[in-house]
Amino acid sequence: MASLNPNKPLKEEFVSNLTGSSFTKIFALLSILPISMLLRHSASSFRPIDHNVSETSLKKNDDLIVAPKNLSACIATLTVDFLFIVVPMTLFYTVLAEWAYIGSLFFFLLFFLTMAAKRYASPPDLEQKPHSFRTFLSSFRVATMLMTCFCILAVDFRIFPRENAKVETYGTGLMDLGVGSFVLANAIISRQARNISSTNWKTAIKSASPLILLGVGRIVSTTGVDYQVHVGEYGVHWNFFFTLAAVSIITSIINVPPKYCGILGSAILVGYQTWLSCGLNEYMLSNERGTDFVSQNKEGIFSIFGYWGLYLVGVQLGHSIFFENSSHSALRSNTAACIKVWLLSVLMWLITVLIDNYIERVSRRMCNLAYVTWVVSLNLQLIGGFMLSDYIPGTKLSTLEEAFNRNLLASFILANIFTGLVNLTIDTLSVSSFSALLILLGYTFSLCMIIGIADFYGIRLKYW
């Protein structure tokens, strides 16, 4: 029987044995999307706001967010959001990748000029009220999802620089942030971070069951169509969904108060790093595999310790910065929280450099200590960037962000389906740069429109 994916070996080789990029290059690339989103917030500040609508917690009353009144207005607004937010990311992650530093500097200057102009033009008697933490964290989660959805398809095209793809062993690439950012984002807004009593192990497994089913579904679908899978990423049978499910179940079963999660997480990370330095790293990075399940999936199974520690650190950060001593119904940002986020980000950057140079280099494959501190530093940088919107009068979430925020799981599933269909119908390695750019723009535009229109009609996909 002929394979549905005849170029599978070439595609697997295309994403293998990569060494990544520099810390500064990733910092520059990562800053472009959030600044684009903030600029869109500023440009859309004319949208009417219903002051009788109160913002609430991260996971409740999403329907209260104001949206366009008719479908035509919704599509028009989504299109403008796409041009402001997604197109710059697409260009600088592909054809303009060599201009990342200049592009980042340009967007920073444009943002500060916009901030100064709007504050100068605002009426002196108009008081700028601080935004809720919900707004910042929603933008942060959406930015993480948009970058992930774009990169999982773009990486299969030659237009996407190899330095931005996932590294083989040690090093940092833009895509290496993906799973770590998902884990940290879930931790920061988790029930534990909000100090809501956790569930028992049966409820924990039930809550994680959609992730387990998605993981099984990915195995079945990739095997059925002979889809390319880089075994060195998680293992033969393991995948991203199983890692998220495992972290969720372990954290629910071994439940500790949020104020102690950072201590437990740090202890786990130090212990795991010690184990790695004593020889586990050689075993995990070796290409030799036994026939047992653990050996077949050693990267996915052992890295759970790192992701569990990362999750617990995220719970501590979310609780201490955003939810401690705060009402869940009216969380408000302040200058102290913003300063704390930026100071922690700088501190984590310094720790990452020290660990990377003197203990062990960053490795997403093992989720070692340097990787965890690197992920924390960059994600705090993203959150801190969104918190600067407090200094732009009249900003609020864009329609595109609102739609993705209410359908994060659906958007990721849809992006994976689109990615699979494109790879099975197009030889991604042979298309020209121009054709690849058109395909990626069409893919992201279709994804944004489907999620936006689904949200307009009130369609939500959330797991219990």
Side-chain angles (χ1 to χ4, degrees):
M1 181 178 177
S3 172
L4 295 175
N5 191 16
N7 291 324
K8 175 183 176 182
L10 292 176
K11 291 182 177 180
E12 289 179 346
E13 182 182 357
F14 189 57
V15 295
S16 302
N17 303 314
L18 303 177
T19 57
S21 182
S22 65
F23 286 160
T24 55
K25 184 70 171 290
I26 297 172
F27 178 93
L29 286 172
L30 200 65
S31 65
I32 291 172
L33 179 59
I35 296 176
S36 299
M37 293 169 68
L38 290 178
L39 290 173
R40 176 54 181 153
H41 293 179
S42 177
S44 62
S45 61
F46 64 85
R47 291 170 56 195
I49 302 175
D50 183 357
H51 295 284
N52 293 321
V53 175
S54 60
E55 293 182 329
T56 55
S57 68
L58 282 161
K59 294 191 174 183
K60 295 181 179 180
N61 297 328
D62 282 342
D63 294 331
L64 295 179
I65 299 176
V66 178
K69 299 297 183 181
N70 58 70
L71 183 59
S72 298
C74 176
I75 293 175
T77 305
L78 287 170
T79 302
V80 176
D81 290 345
F82 174 80
L83 294 174
F84 263 84
I85 297 171
V86 182
V87 171
M89 175 188 69
T90 302
L91 295 176
F92 279 101
Y93 285 10
T94 55
V95 293
L96 299 180
E98 295 297 323
W99 297 77
Y101 293 111
I102 296 177
S104 177
L105 180 60
F106 170 77
F107 275 91
F108 270 115
L109 291 175
L110 187 59
F111 169 74
F112 287 115
L113 287 174
T114 302
M115 181 174 67
K118 289 187 71 69
R119 290 184 67 85
Y120 178 78
S122 298
D125 58 341
L126 179 61
E127 181 183 357
Q128 169 69 4
K129 296 182 179 180
H131 296 84
S132 70
F133 286 136
R134 180 205 172 281
T135 303
F136 307 137
L137 296 179
S138 295
S139 293
F140 159 63
R141 295 199 301 163
V142 171
T144 301
M145 181 59 70
L146 285 174
M147 286 186 285
T148 302
C149 291
F150 174 78
C151 288
I152 59 175
L153 177 59
V155 69
D156 295 318
F157 291 91
R158 297 189 185 278
I159 195 177
F160 189 77
R162 294 299 87 194
E163 66 178 10
N164 291 338
K166 294 177 180 178
V167 301
E168 186 73 16
T169 54
Y170 292 106
T172 54
L174 179 66
M175 289 190 68
D176 286 308
L177 278 170
V179 61
S181 296
F182 267 90
V183 170
L184 186 63
N186 288 338
I188 288 175
I189 55 91
S190 64
R191 293 172 60 88
Q192 293 95 325
R194 289 176 286 145
N195 204 20
I196 299 176
S197 58
S198 187
T199 54
N200 56 42
W201 67 271
K202 292 182 179 180
T203 307
I205 294 176
K206 179 182 178 182
S207 178
S209 59
L211 294 172
I212 298 174
L213 291 175
L214 287 171
V216 173
R218 178 173 173 80
I219 295 176
V220 173
S221 60
T222 53
T223 304
V225 299
D226 199 26
Y227 196 77
Q228 67 267 15
V229 176
H230 185 30
V231 175
E233 187 174 352
Y234 292 105
V236 178
H237 313 102
W238 204 266
N239 58 53
F240 166 81
F241 296 108
F242 289 146
T243 295
L244 291 183
V247 170
S248 176
I249 293 172
I250 294 173
T251 306
S252 297
I253 295 176
I254 306 177
N255 184 35
V256 298
K259 61 182 179 179
Y260 300 122
C261 282
I263 298 175
L264 177 60
S266 299
I268 292 170
L269 290 170
V270 171
Y272 176 55
Q273 180 59 57
T274 303
W275 192 9
L276 287 171
S277 300
C278 290
L280 180 63
N281 52 5
E282 296 181 4
Y283 169 70
M284 290 183 66
L285 297 179
S286 171
N287 291 326
E288 297 181 3
R289 297 180 188 275
T291 57
D292 59 287
F293 182 79
V294 174
S295 180
Q296 290 275 297
N297 302 282
K298 54 187 177 180
E299 297 91 347
I301 292 175
F302 286 104
S303 65
I304 289 175
F305 290 102
Y307 289 116
W308 182 27
L310 172 61
Y311 186 92
L312 291 172
V313 170
V315 169
Q316 174 80 67
L317 291 172
H319 177 72
S320 61
I321 298 176
F322 302 113
F323 299 108
E324 189 176 20
N325 300 322
S326 297
S327 168
H328 296 310
S329 61
L331 294 176
R332 293 296 174 187
S333 67
N334 51 59
T335 302
C338 185
I339 293 174
K340 184 185 295 186
V341 167
W342 278 106
L343 287 177
L344 284 173
S345 178
V346 172
L347 176 62
M348 286 296 137
W349 265 113
L350 294 175
I351 293 175
T352 299
V353 171
L354 291 174
I355 297 174
D356 185 72
N357 281 295
Y358 298 106
I359 298 180
E360 186 177 40
R361 291 194 63 200
V362 175
S363 175
R364 183 261 324 146
R365 187 168 168 181
M366 295 184 291
C367 192
N368 60 1
L369 184 58
Y371 174 77
V372 169
T373 57
W374 179 63
V375 168
V376 173
S377 66
L378 284 175
N379 281 274
L380 286 176
Q381 167 197 325
L382 275 176
I383 296 174
F386 285 118
M387 294 182 78
L388 294 177
S389 65
D390 257 357
Y391 302 95
I392 303 179
T395 57
K396 70 186 300 290
L397 287 177
S398 64
T399 299
L400 182 64
E401 290 172 77
E402 293 168 359
F404 268 84
N405 186 52
R406 291 192 283 244
N407 272 301
L408 287 173
L409 178 60
S411 62
F412 187 66
I413 294 174
L414 184 61
N416 276 271
I417 293 173
F418 279 170
T419 298
L421 291 175
V422 170
N423 271 276
L424 293 176
T425 56
I426 298 174
D427 182 5
T428 56
L429 299 181
S430 63
V431 299
S432 65
S433 296
F434 181 72
S435 298
L437 182 60
L438 291 181
I439 292 171
L440 291 173
L441 287 172
Y443 156 72
T444 50
F445 184 74
S446 300
L447 183 64
C448 291
M449 283 297 152
I450 292 174
I451 296 299
I453 293 174
D455 178 68
F456 176 81
Y457 284 108
I459 299 174
R460 310 282 188 272
L461 179 59
K462 295 184 178 181
Y463 65 88
W464 53 90

